[in-house]
């Protein structure tokens, strides 16, 4: 389908690889550039996915997020895709996807995402509206995971 | 119009009086372009706050001891300075409040609640800050009156040709900002007051943006109420001012009740103190109200006319330089119709990304809807980036803003 994002494209980097690169960077300047690079690499949503239903509330930037359960080898995993009109937010989405995508609902619920944000220093460098937006995305992903928990 | 040329105003010397602006950041001295939200304070204001705290602090209008007497004296001196700064006849026409927001709520509900009826109209503009928008929206809902908007021209000025159609015999209150906090538009307050009075309405002016940047004369403008904040005029946060024409101020009913605002309280009833005390329930922001007087001294000594001329020259230069940037769109009229505020967007650059990249260059701007969601809806955007200028900004700041935007465009691959 035109505009459909393939899962292969999303599986750019595992969260461990991402963290390793991120932490090798000198300072927030370089880390911010890295997030922007991730943002540029993130596949874009087609116009039909940018609908009201997919909008994540609480973000000052527009964020659209789709998360669907998918059965792979008999195991239910949650496939997440998201897009934003802000390039830095797109970079943050790439971090969330690396952390959450292809995980089972239980793995998603067990993941301490706050510790990850802390480790990356995001709380310190993001504006409060951005932090709220990030937490809005996390809430959306967790609630989808919770409703697919068996 | 002031004839003072920018070169006669020593912005560097003004800037040197603001300690926070002389900090050395990794990127150099901060380029502070968010004074429309909150201005920085000169040493004189900080020193005054310290003086009050360290030498004679006490509660106001209560103690019969020397500290209390000194505080009362300082507060009254501050009232007088404020009155004379805006052209009011007497310090008793100045009520201290927490800021513009509370002041406008006091005027809206204290004056309007008992006077508005179904069929009456309140006229505001789409460029109002939420502080001069939401209280009226709530007041008309409560009283059954109607809220009407003065229309804007395409470039973001009030459409003067619509005044007579919108402000009619049904109008009881016209509430308008003297200067927009986004578009920068300076509104024709005296024309609006004349029209309002002609139909028997009052004129409420939200002076938060203009009072710090250009001379105010409540008598020649003939406004009924003027409200502004301390922290936008190089003074402390937590203090603001309600000016009222003497008879109008008497007409405001208190909406906050408690200590200091009464003359007598019995088991069954209470009587109010004289104006302005009856509008100042509870303990005042004492240190802040006194230091606001010092901030006004500072503006007077620096020269409000010179500050205005300097800021307008920064505005003209910044506008010219920004318009050279590809994809730049500035919201609001040309510099001759506005004060030193520039709200803008750069094509394909999200305002929050832009503000974040400017921050990396030590350039501090604001992004978002700037508490004017109805205006942004009208502009068809959810957010803008805003650079606002004050006495301490320099041409070097303008230069750094332009370079920082270029930096953002490069980083976000627009170049």
């Amino acid at each position: 389908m035109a505009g459909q994002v393939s899962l292969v494209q999303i599986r750019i980097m595992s969260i461990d690889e991402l963290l390793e690169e991120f932490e090798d960077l000198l300072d927030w300047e370089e880390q911010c550039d890295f997030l922007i690079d991730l943002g540029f690499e993130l596949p874009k949503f087609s116009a039909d996915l940018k609908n009201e239903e997919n909008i994540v509330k609480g973000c000052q930037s527009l964020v659209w997020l789709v998360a669907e359960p998918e059965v792979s080898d008999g195991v239910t995993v949650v496939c997440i895709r998201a897009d934003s009109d802000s390039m830095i937010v797109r970079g943050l989405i790439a971090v969330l996807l690396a952390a959450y995508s292809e995980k089972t609902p239980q793995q998603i619920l067990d993941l301490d995402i706050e510790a990850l944000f802390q480790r990356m220093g995001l709380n310190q460098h993001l504006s409060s509206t951005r932090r709220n937006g990030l937490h809005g995305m996390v809430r959306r992903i967790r609630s989808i995971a919770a409703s697919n928990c068996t | 119009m002031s004839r003072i040329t920018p070169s006669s105003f020593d912005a560097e010397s003004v800037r040197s009086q603001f300690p926070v602006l002389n900090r050395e950041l990794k990127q150099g001295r901060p380029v502070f372009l968010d004074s429309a939200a909150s201005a920085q304070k000169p040493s004189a204001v900080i020193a005054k706050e310290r003086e009050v705290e360290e030498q004679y602090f006490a509660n106001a209008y209560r103690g019969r001891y020397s500290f209390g007497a000194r505080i009362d004296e300082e507060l009254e001196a501050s009232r007088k300075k404020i009155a004379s700064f805006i052209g009011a006849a007497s310090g008793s026409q100045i009520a201290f409040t927490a800021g513009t927001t509370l002041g406008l709520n006091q005027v809206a509900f204290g004056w309007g609640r008992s006077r508005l009826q179904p069929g009456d109209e309140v006229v505001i503009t789409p460029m109002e800050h939420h502080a001069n928008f939401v209280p009226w929206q709530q007041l008309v809902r409560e009283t059954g009156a109607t809220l009407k908007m003065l229309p804007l021209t395409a470039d973001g000025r009030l459409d003067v040709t619509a005044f007579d159609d919108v402000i009619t015999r049904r109008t009881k209150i016209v509430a308008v900002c003297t200067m927009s906090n986004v578009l920068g538009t300076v509104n024709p307050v005296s024309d609006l007051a004349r029209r309002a009075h002609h139909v028997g309405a009052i004129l409420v002016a939200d002076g938060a943006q203009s009072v710090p940047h250009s001379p105010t004369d409540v008598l020649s403008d003939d406004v009924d109420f003027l409200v502004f904040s301390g922290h936008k005029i190089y003074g402390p946060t937590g203090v603001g001012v309600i000016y009222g024409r003497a008879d109008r101020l008497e007409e405001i009913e208190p909406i906050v009740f408690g200590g200091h605002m009464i003359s007598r309280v019995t088991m069954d009833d209470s009587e109010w103190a004289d104006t302005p005390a009856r509008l100042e329930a509870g303990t005042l922001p004492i240190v802040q109200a006194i230091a606001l007087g010092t901030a006004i001294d500072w503006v007077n000594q620096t020269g409000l006319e010179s500050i205005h001329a300097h800021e307008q020259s920064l505005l003209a230069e910044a506008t010219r330089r920004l318009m050279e940037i590809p994809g730049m769109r500035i919201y609001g009229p040309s510099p001759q119709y506005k004060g030193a505020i520039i709200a803008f967007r750069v094509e394909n650059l999200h305002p929050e990304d832009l503000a974040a990249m400017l921050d990396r260059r030590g350039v501090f701007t604001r992004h978002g809807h700037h508490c004017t969601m109805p205006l942004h809806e009208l502009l068809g955007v959810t957010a803008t980036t805003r650079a606002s200028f004050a006495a301490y900004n320099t041409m070097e700041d303008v230069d750094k803003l332009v370079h920082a935007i270029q930096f953002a465009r490069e980083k976000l691959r627009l170049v």
Side-chain angles (χ1 to χ4, degrees):
Chain A
M1 196 196 292
Q4 185 78 34
V5 177
S6 82
L7 291 174
V8 184
Q9 278 177 286
I10 290 174
R11 223 181 280 125
I12 302 164
M13 205 183 261
S14 76
I15 189 65
D16 292 334
E17 288 167 337
L18 189 150
L19 274 175
E20 198 178 319
E21 267 202 51
F22 190 83
E23 287 173 345
D24 270 349
L25 298 168
L26 201 61
D27 55 14
W28 172 247
E29 290 275 307
E30 290 189 359
Q31 290 170 336
C32 183
D33 286 346
F34 177 70
L35 287 175
I36 291 170
D37 287 343
L38 290 179
F40 273 104
E41 285 163 25
L42 188 77
K44 289 194 167 105
F45 266 22
S46 57
D48 59 314
L49 280 176
K50 292 180 178 178
N51 59 36
E52 194 65 32
E53 193 190 338
N54 291 337
I55 284 186
V56 179
K57 298 270 188 312
C59 302
Q60 185 149 46
S61 317
L62 282 169
V63 173
W64 302 271
L65 188 142
V66 181
E68 289 153 340
E70 201 176 274
V71 179
S72 152
D73 296 332
V75 181
T76 301
V77 294
V78 181
C79 295
I80 305 165
R81 290 171 290 159
D83 193 3
S84 171
D85 60 344
S86 150
M87 201 48 77
I88 297 176
V89 172
R90 284 169 56 81
L92 295 170
I93 288 171
V95 174
L96 285 184
L97 296 193
Y100 279 133
S101 210
E102 303 287 291
K103 294 256 185 339
T104 67
Q106 193 57 52
Q107 285 172 320
I108 286 176
L109 293 175
D110 290 345
L111 184 71
D112 185 357
I113 197 81
E114 198 49 52
L116 175 72
F117 295 160
Q118 203 70 41
R119 188 169 158 190
M120 295 178 74
L122 295 182
N123 288 340
Q124 185 191 339
H125 290 293
L126 298 180
S127 70
S128 60
T129 51
R130 285 255 150 109
R131 284 200 300 274
N132 289 343
L134 200 53
H135 288 122
M137 284 190 266
V138 169
R139 269 197 304 278
R140 172 78 73 99
I141 292 167
R142 286 178 61 91
S143 87
I144 291 165
S147 62
N148 285 287
C149 236
T150 45
Chain B
M1 281 301 281
S2 170
R3 299 254 175 262
I4 296 160
T5 57
S7 56
S8 70
F9 182 85
D10 186 353
E12 271 305 326
S13 135
V14 169
R15 187 189 172 111
S16 70
Q17 298 171 55
F18 289 77
V20 76
L21 298 178
N22 293 292
R23 282 189 55 194
E24 277 295 324
L25 306 177
K26 196 174 61 187
Q27 309 91 333
R29 299 188 310 182
V31 177
F32 190 77
L33 298 176
D34 195 21
S35 302
S38 239
Q40 300 295 350
K41 295 177 202 54
S43 301
V45 169
I46 300 166
K48 187 68 183 184
E49 289 189 87
R50 200 178 174 95
E51 174 196 297
V52 179
E53 300 280 20
E54 290 184 347
Q55 295 185 31
Y56 48 85
F57 179 79
N59 210 322
Y61 309 121
R62 286 161 175 84
R64 285 190 54 119
Y65 45 87
S66 64
F67 286 8
R70 173 74 187 270
I71 287 288
D72 296 357
E73 207 177 283
E74 293 275 350
L75 277 171
E76 292 316 299
S78 179
R79 256 188 237 280
K80 285 205 184 85
K81 287 173 194 173
I82 294 163
S84 112
F85 185 70
I86 59 171
S90 154
S92 64
Q93 289 171 273
I94 301 301
F96 287 118
T97 182
T100 304
T101 299
L102 183 59
L104 287 166
N105 274 276
Q106 284 177 275
V107 173
F109 288 89
W111 196 87
R113 186 183 265 148
S114 60
R115 285 180 176 77
L116 291 187
Q117 293 173 352
D120 289 342
E121 292 174 354
V122 176
V123 173
I124 63 170
T125 85
M127 69 172 85
E128 299 311 313
H129 186 284
H130 294 161
N132 198 32
F133 204 113
V134 185
W136 304 112
Q137 211 173 41
Q138 292 301 309
L139 180 67
V140 298
R141 187 167 297 171
E142 197 179 293
T143 57
T146 307
L147 192 61
K148 282 175 77 179
M149 298 286 155
L150 284 167
L152 302 188
T153 60
D155 67 345
R157 287 183 287 152
L158 289 181
D159 181 357
V160 293
T161 64
F163 286 4
D164 290 359
D165 289 336
V166 179
I167 303 168
T168 68
R169 288 274 157 207
R170 288 188 295 279
T171 309
K172 292 291 173 286
I173 299 165
V174 178
V176 62
C177 57
T178 53
M179 173 175 157
S180 159
N181 72 316
V182 175
L183 306 170
T185 312
V186 173
N187 288 322
V189 175
S190 59
D191 292 347
L192 285 162
R194 200 175 313 120
R195 176 65 191 167
H197 294 151
H198 180 70
V199 298
I202 64 161
L203 191 285
V204 180
D206 167 0
Q209 293 299 336
S210 80
V211 169
H213 302 289
S214 60
T216 303
D217 189 336
V218 290
L219 290 186
S220 71
D221 282 348
D222 201 15
V223 302
D224 294 275
F225 295 106
L226 172 83
V227 183
F228 65 97
S229 296
H231 66 101
K232 291 194 200 316
I233 186 163
Y234 316 106
T237 51
V239 66
V241 167
I242 304 173
Y243 153 84
R245 214 173 75 180
D247 53 338
R248 292 289 178 228
L249 207 54
E250 291 299 332
E251 289 170 1
I252 296 193
E253 289 298 323
I255 63 162
V256 185
F257 306 92
H260 181 61
M261 53 81 65
I262 48 79
S263 65
R264 184 163 167 272
V265 179
T266 67
M267 289 291 186
D268 307 312
D269 204 5
S270 299
E271 289 162 22
W272 310 147
D274 289 339
T275 307
R278 63 193 190 89
L279 303 175
E280 296 177 342
T283 292
L284 284 177
I286 295 163
V287 182
Q288 292 79 359
I290 292 171
L292 174 54
T294 309
I296 283 174
D297 284 341
W298 184 86
V299 170
N300 283 329
Q301 281 151 20
T302 309
L304 186 53
E305 290 279 2
S306 330
I307 291 174
H308 179 67
H310 168 66
E311 291 174 354
Q312 294 302 113
S313 67
L314 293 175
L315 171 69
E317 177 65 2
T319 304
R320 189 184 69 74
R321 297 278 306 276
L322 290 180
M323 287 311 290
E324 291 170 1
I325 296 172
M328 173 63 64
R329 163 125 198 234
I330 293 176
Y331 296 86
S334 61
Q336 68 193 103
Y337 300 113
K338 66 189 255 191
I341 285 177
I342 306 178
F344 60 94
R345 282 176 70 102
V346 179
E347 202 178 5
N348 296 321
L349 230 173
H350 191 279
E352 189 161 1
D353 287 352
L354 178 54
M357 302 311 278
L358 297 184
D359 174 51
R360 283 175 56 181
R361 305 306 265 185
V363 176
F364 302 159
T365 56
R366 183 83 178 270
H367 70 276
H369 52 63
H370 317 294
C371 298
T372 57
M373 289 173 91
L375 175 64
H376 277 74
E377 198 181 321
L378 204 63
L379 298 174
V381 293
T382 54
T384 50
T385 304
R386 180 183 73 184
S388 53
F389 299 86
Y392 39 66
N393 289 117
T394 61
M395 285 295 173
E396 191 190 335
D397 291 346
V398 172
D399 202 50
K400 285 184 172 166
L401 169 66
V402 171
H403 283 114
I405 296 172
Q406 293 294 12
F407 166 76
R409 292 185 69 244
E410 282 160 27
K411 286 290 180 189
L412 290 152
R413 306 183 191 175
L414 295 174
V415 180

